[in-house]
Amino acid sequence: MPTSPISRRGLFGYAGAAGVGGAAGIVGGRAWGLSDAPTPEPPNRVLGQDYSPYGAQQAGIFTPQSQVAELVAFDLLPATDASALGRLMRVWTGDIAALMSGRPAAGDFAPELAQANVSLTALVGFGPGVFELEGLGPSLPAGFQEIPAMTHDRLEDRWNGGDLLIWVTADDATSVSHAVRRLVSDARPFASRRWTQRGFWRPTDASGAAVTGRNLFGQVDGSANPKGDVLEETVLSTDGWLAGGTQLVVRRIEMNLDTWDEATRDRQEASMGRRLSDGAPLTGESEGDDLDLAATADGSTVIALDAHARLAHPSQNRERRMLRRGLNYTHETVVDGAPVDTSGLIFCAFQANIADQFIPVQRSLDQADALNEWTTAIGSAVFVIPPGFSEGGYVGETLLG
């Protein structure tokens, strides 16, 4: 694997600072402040970047979040066995290496659309069906499982499941669409498209400085993501072939914006436990302040017992954490023959062990979260995200090689 002037621990420090919408001080494999680095641009720049396709982790996990994303899930064709899956992974790896380097992939339909400096990443995941292939069952990672039914779920099959995942992110929709088109085309001999989810995010403020993004409720979303050494412990598996990889939950959450807009601002903030203006806890002064769950005023806790931030707080969940990356969406659907606009959040969470991390926290939220009044999960999928690959290697080679 190519050497890098930044240590693994340093990478997680930068990635932790990036959080969901923050900036990593890494561009083109270099960290700001190194003696051999060129004169740097501001370290909070998150757009217009080039990321290497090679590394210990796939790009798209710790790289800063960009503006546009598309997630595509696939069902494996009946004839696709482990050997055929390995061939697809080699093809996809070639596509990803080319596109992330700003070059057309082999057989590109529109080579002019391949561009550098668009912050392009492409992430590949394996769903539960992969581990039903002959010879791969014993490699099922510990804790990898579907999410059990929750009381407030209203899951629709069109947004559920998948044997494979590609998640492409960039600064603009044209670059994302072009990369997805190439990857989907190359998958056709092996898999059919199951669902596509398109989302958008705002990772910078009006001046271009990196900020934590906001969901369509107007809430700052992702403030308490893990940082530093805790990030590594939270996200990365140490389990056999998956060591250095991770597990991903994708939940499509529909938001009732009409009834949310009717709620008073005080009620909206109380349901979250944070201020809408800047994302600060109701007990704090700035977004990065920790919640004071014991604080009281007029005989009541300042942060309500059913506030989302309280129920999701690590101290309430045996220190369980996840790395969360959200994507807003709008989607037109048909109800009783008439088009209806729906909106929501594509909630994505990386962790080392779904059974031990996501599921217990989600059960707690399902039971009492004040936001349940306005949110409904309508889609759910889980994927194993293999470790990264080196030049000459391919995605998933630790499992399929």
Side-chain angles (χ1 to χ4, degrees):
M1 186 176 296
T3 59
S4 171
I6 184 168
S7 69
R8 190 161 182 259
R9 175 167 292 188
L11 168 61
F12 288 113
Y14 281 104
V20 160
I26 302 173
V27 177
R30 293 185 179 275
W32 303 127
L34 296 172
S35 60
D36 62 344
T39 301
E41 297 178 45
N44 63 353
R45 182 175 176 228
V46 299
L47 305 180
Q49 303 301 291
D50 274 335
Y51 299 115
S52 172
Y54 309 115
Q57 283 76 47
Q58 292 188 61
I61 302 171
F62 298 123
T63 42
Q65 190 160 353
S66 196
Q67 296 186 128
V68 183
E70 188 165 332
L71 290 80
V72 183
F74 300 81
D75 292 327
L76 293 173
L77 298 180
T80 301
D81 58 11
S83 177
L85 179 59
R87 293 195 295 274
L88 172 58
M89 291 302 106
R90 290 175 176 88
V91 172
W92 269 2
T93 299
D95 292 342
I96 291 168
L99 292 165
M100 285 186 60
S101 301
R103 297 181 285 105
D108 208 324
F109 313 102
E112 295 79 8
L113 294 180
Q115 294 188 60
N117 307 119
V118 293
S119 309
L120 181 72
T121 63
L123 185 72
V124 175
F126 296 157
V130 165
F131 302 96
E132 297 175 4
L133 298 178
E134 185 176 355
L136 298 186
S139 298
L140 181 73
F144 180 62
Q145 66 168 87
E146 301 276 10
I147 308 305
M150 301 286 170
T151 303
H152 293 89
D153 289 357
R154 299 293 182 269
L155 301 182
E156 302 175 17
D157 189 58
R158 59 178 173 158
W159 305 120
N160 291 341
D163 297 327
L164 298 175
L165 174 76
I166 56 170
W167 178 355
V168 178
T169 302
D171 294 339
D172 67 278
T174 299
S175 295
V176 169
S177 179
H178 171 244
V180 168
R181 182 183 176 194
R182 179 69 266 165
L183 292 162
V184 169
S185 177
D186 283 339
R188 287 193 183 110
F190 309 94
S192 60
R193 191 190 302 225
R194 181 180 180 89
W195 52 252
T196 299
Q197 300 192 50
R198 299 180 178 92
F200 53 91
W201 202 245
R202 189 174 66 187
T204 64
D205 62 17
S207 71
V211 295
T212 309
R214 291 179 182 267
N215 62 37
L216 293 178
F217 283 160
Q219 298 163 333
V220 176
D221 197 324
S223 301
N225 264 324
K227 298 176 174 63
D229 290 341
V230 175
L231 178 65
E232 178 177 1
E233 297 166 2
T234 295
V235 173
L236 296 185
S237 173
T238 58
D239 185 16
W241 72 269
L242 187 57
T246 185
Q247 299 181 22
L248 171 66
V249 174
V250 179
R251 301 275 281 180
R252 188 176 181 90
I253 301 173
E254 189 168 291
M255 295 170 151
N256 192 328
L257 297 183
D258 291 340
T259 56
W260 174 260
D261 291 344
E262 293 171 354
T264 65
R265 193 173 182 88
D266 285 349
R267 187 179 176 207
Q268 291 174 344
E269 292 183 333
S271 70
M272 184 63 188
R274 290 179 177 272
R275 293 198 300 262
L276 289 168
S277 60
D278 56 6
L282 298 182
T283 56
E285 299 297 326
S286 63
E287 180 191 345
D289 292 344
D290 197 10
L291 282 67
D292 182 354
L293 298 179
T296 60
D298 300 325
S300 301
T301 56
V302 175
I303 297 178
L305 298 180
D306 62 353
H308 178 85
R310 174 187 287 274
L311 293 174
H313 196 272
S315 68
Q316 308 300 297
N317 293 282
R318 298 186 180 179
E319 298 305 316
R320 294 181 174 99
R321 294 173 169 85
M322 294 165 276
L323 175 62
R324 294 158 292 130
R325 297 180 79 123
L327 292 162
N328 297 315
Y329 75 83
T330 59
H331 179 79
E332 184 179 274
T333 189
V334 176
V335 177
D336 297 329
V340 175
D341 289 330
T342 62
S343 303
L345 183 74
I346 305 170
F347 175 86
C348 302
F350 294 101
Q351 63 259 280
N353 185 306
I354 289 173
D356 184 59
Q357 291 169 258
F358 181 87
I359 291 175
V361 175
Q362 184 59 37
R363 280 181 171 143
S364 175
L365 295 172
D366 185 53
Q367 292 170 3
D369 189 356
L371 289 181
N372 289 338
E373 180 175 346
W374 300 282
T375 60
T376 305
I378 61 171
S380 184
V382 295
F383 300 95
V384 171
I385 308 301
F389 56 93
S390 59
E391 193 166 0
Y394 66 93
V395 178
E397 64 183 320
T398 54
L399 174 66
L400 302 170

